[in-house]
């Protein structure tokens, strides 16, 4: 199952670091990391298997993409604690083989900094923005 | 590597049965099965690893999709002999976990019929067309 998840993530997974507005935080914005896999309704079961494997994360109907023939489901892990204790060690052991590995390494660095609360400092915050901008996903948000 | 390939195929692979015009054949058309995985240039190495694993197939630059930021490469196995002796047994052993497994099962049936030369009979030919129409990929060709 582990190597299958690694391969499936190389195909369908995303390591996303978004920066969203949140006026209650120090910098008026919030760093929002997540590990995501999206599948059509016909393959929802495979997402449930992955959720069971990691023992965390949630599966939600993704209405933003419903111009497809079937509904899409989005499995995501957003908890920094779970990302740090489960997702990062998993992909350290069962390495990605495509260019998505580079995204993972940037993502890992962001999570490590967040665990150390470095994102609460100006220097750490700016460093995370640079790391996030180097990732392939959702560049447009920065 | 095997389970990784199974997972990666669930994400990025396609089992395709096309029907193309060929006036030299009995029915004026030809059944054209292939196993395909497409990746961006940055991940070409992963396709080379899969090609090495299966010891067959070819990798070609796919110019049809070059409206992307990077060139795409297409790994495909088209030989019915290789599909029958390598690809089918591989995915029988290392099962797909998404709805793509259904495509594989239709694909397997088509290959088995072609190995038995059943596609050269009217009955077999029509049966293959029905099977191909049930697969998710390239429906528009039929």
């Amino acid at each position: 199952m582990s190597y299958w998840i690694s391969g499936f993530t190389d195909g369908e997974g995303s390591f996303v670091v978004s920066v969203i507005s949140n006026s209650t935080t120090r910098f008026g914005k919030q760093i929002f990391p997540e590990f995501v896999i999206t599948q059509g309704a016909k393959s929802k079961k495979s997402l449930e298997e992955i959720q069971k494997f990691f023992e965390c994360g949630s599966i939600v109907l993704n209405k933003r993409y419903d111009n497809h023939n079937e509904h899409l489901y989005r499995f995501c892990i957003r908890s920094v604690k779970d990302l740090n204790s489960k997702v990062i060690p998993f992909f350290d052991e069962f390495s990605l083989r495509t260019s998505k590995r580079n995204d993972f390494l940037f993502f890992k660095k962001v999570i490590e900094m967040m665990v150390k609360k470095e994102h609460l400092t100006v220097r750490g915050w700016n460093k995370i923005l640079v790391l996030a901008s180097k990732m392939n996903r959702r560049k447009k948000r920065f």
Side-chain angles (χ1 to χ4, degrees), chain A residues 47-98:
Chain A
L47 296 183
E48 291 167 345
E49 287 176 345
I50 295 169
Q51 184 184 36
K52 192 175 174 187
F53 178 87
F54 281 114
E55 295 181 320
C56 63
S58 55
I59 297 173
V60 292
L61 183 63
N62 191 337
K63 292 183 178 173
R64 291 179 300 174
Y65 296 98
D66 59 6
N67 57 336
H68 286 68
N69 291 329
E70 58 176 341
H71 290 304
L72 291 199
Y73 285 87
R74 189 177 196 267
F75 167 66
C76 61
I77 300 177
R78 293 175 170 177
S79 152
V80 172
K81 186 181 170 190
D82 288 335
L83 291 168
N84 186 58
S85 64
K86 295 176 178 177
V87 176
I88 304 291
F90 176 83
F91 288 106
D92 273 340
E93 184 172 355
F94 302 99
S95 295
L96 298 165
R97 291 169 178 269
T98 69

Side-chain angles (χ1 to χ4, degrees), chain A residues 6-7 9-11 95-103 137:
Chain A
S6 173
T9 299
D10 259 319
S95 295
L96 298 165
R97 291 169 178 269
T98 69
S99 64
K100 207 163 279 181
R101 180 166 162 73
N102 294 328
D103 283 352
R137 308 289 161 178

